[in-house]
């Protein structure tokens, strides 16, 4: 029984790790851009996501330098080339001394699933520290517009 459970854990880990395979953002999720110990990671599968027509959700949150945050945004933009996107650097909003950039895009399909990336960075004043969140989602939802609609209606 222990052997079976260990094998199932290894297979599940391999399946989850490869969800965004073929995308440049995979390097971030695998700790090749920001070390794993600096990131807080969340992975969700199953019934929780059904109402959004999603089958997989993975996010990482971390504090980054301005250069690291820009590098991650560039990777998200590269993965979104040729696909519908909202936001970007022009989407900078300033409230007093708080700044944020939000970027959402649909990216290349993974098999029969549509895939989406969201990037958000937030910082205060002139500090070089940035709070970055990157989310990868996949499922049967057809478009970024439909996904945003489902998430906003919850």
């Amino acid at each position: 029984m222990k052997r079976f459970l260990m094998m199932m854990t290894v297979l599940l880990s391999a399946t989850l790790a490869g969800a965004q395979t073929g995308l440049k953002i995979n390097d971030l999720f695998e700790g090749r851009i920001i070390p794993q110990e600096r990131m807080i990671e969340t992975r969700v599968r199953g019934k929780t996501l059904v109402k959004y027509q999603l089958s997989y959700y993975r996010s990482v949150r971390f504090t980054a330098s301005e250069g690291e945050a820009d590098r991650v945004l560039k990777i998200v933009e590269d993965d979104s080339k040729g696909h519908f996107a909202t936001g970007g650097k022009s989407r900078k909003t300033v409230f007093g001394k708080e700044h944020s950039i939000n970027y959402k895009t649909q990216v290349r399909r993974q098999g029969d699933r549509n895939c989406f990336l969201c990037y958000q960075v937030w910082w205060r004043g002139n500090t070089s520290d940035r709070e970055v969140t990157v989310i990868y989602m996949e499922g049967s939802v057809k478009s970024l517009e439909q996904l945003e609609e489902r998430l906003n209606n919850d």
Side-chain angles (χ1 to χ4, degrees), residues 73 76-77 80-81 83-92 101-107 116-120 143-148 152:
L73 176 58
V76 171
E77 290 173 332
S80 72
K81 281 195 170 73
H83 300 279
F84 179 75
T86 64
K89 289 185 180 180
S90 62
R91 188 74 188 236
K92 185 187 266 189
I101 297 172
N102 296 290
Y103 190 91
K104 300 173 198 151
T105 185
Q106 188 165 354
V107 295
F116 306 90
L117 275 176
C118 301
Y119 169 93
Q120 180 182 35
S143 67
L144 184 59
E145 183 179 83
Q146 285 181 352
L147 178 59
E148 286 179 330
N152 289 334

Side-chain angles (χ1 to χ4, degrees), residues 93-109:
T93 52
V94 179
F95 299 102
K97 295 185 184 250
E98 294 180 2
H99 310 269
S100 69
I101 297 172
N102 296 290
Y103 190 91
K104 300 173 198 151
T105 185
Q106 188 165 354
V107 295
R108 183 177 45 220
R109 292 173 57 91

Side-chain angles (χ1 to χ4, degrees), residues 21-35:
T21 300
L23 297 174
K24 292 180 180 183
I25 201 66
N26 191 47
D27 285 344
L28 173 69
F29 286 102
E30 296 304 314
R32 291 188 285 269
I33 297 171
I34 304 295

Side-chain angles (χ1 to χ4, degrees), residues 2-121:
K2 286 182 185 179
R3 188 178 212 176
F4 174 75
L5 290 175
M6 186 182 304
M7 184 182 284
M8 291 305 292
T9 301
V10 169
L11 288 173
L12 182 59
S13 296
T15 301
L16 292 176
Q20 57 285 331
T21 300
L23 297 174
K24 292 180 180 183
I25 201 66
N26 191 47
D27 285 344
L28 173 69
F29 286 102
E30 296 304 314
R32 291 188 285 269
I33 297 171
I34 304 295
Q36 292 279 355
E37 56 271 5
R38 286 182 43 204
M39 296 190 290
I40 298 170
E41 182 176 12
T42 303
R43 296 182 195 199
V44 180
R45 282 193 183 272
K47 293 180 183 178
T48 308
L49 300 172
V50 170
K51 65 182 172 183
Y52 306 109
Q53 288 185 290
L54 294 172
S55 55
Y56 184 58
Y57 170 100
R58 187 176 186 185
S59 71
V60 289
R61 187 170 41 103
F62 53 91
T63 300
S65 68
E66 183 177 359
E68 289 171 328
D70 288 346
R71 181 177 177 202
V72 173
L73 176 58
K74 171 85 171 90
I75 291 168
V76 171
E77 290 173 332
D78 286 349
D79 279 339
S80 72
K81 281 195 170 73
H83 300 279
F84 179 75
T86 64
K89 289 185 180 180
S90 62
R91 188 74 188 236
K92 185 187 266 189
T93 52
V94 179
F95 299 102
K97 295 185 184 250
E98 294 180 2
H99 310 269
S100 69
I101 297 172
N102 296 290
Y103 190 91
K104 300 173 198 151
T105 185
Q106 188 165 354
V107 295
R108 183 177 45 220
R109 292 173 57 91
Q110 297 287 324
D112 63 344
R113 296 172 311 277
N114 292 311
C115 304
F116 306 90
L117 275 176
C118 301
Y119 169 93
Q120 180 182 35
V121 61

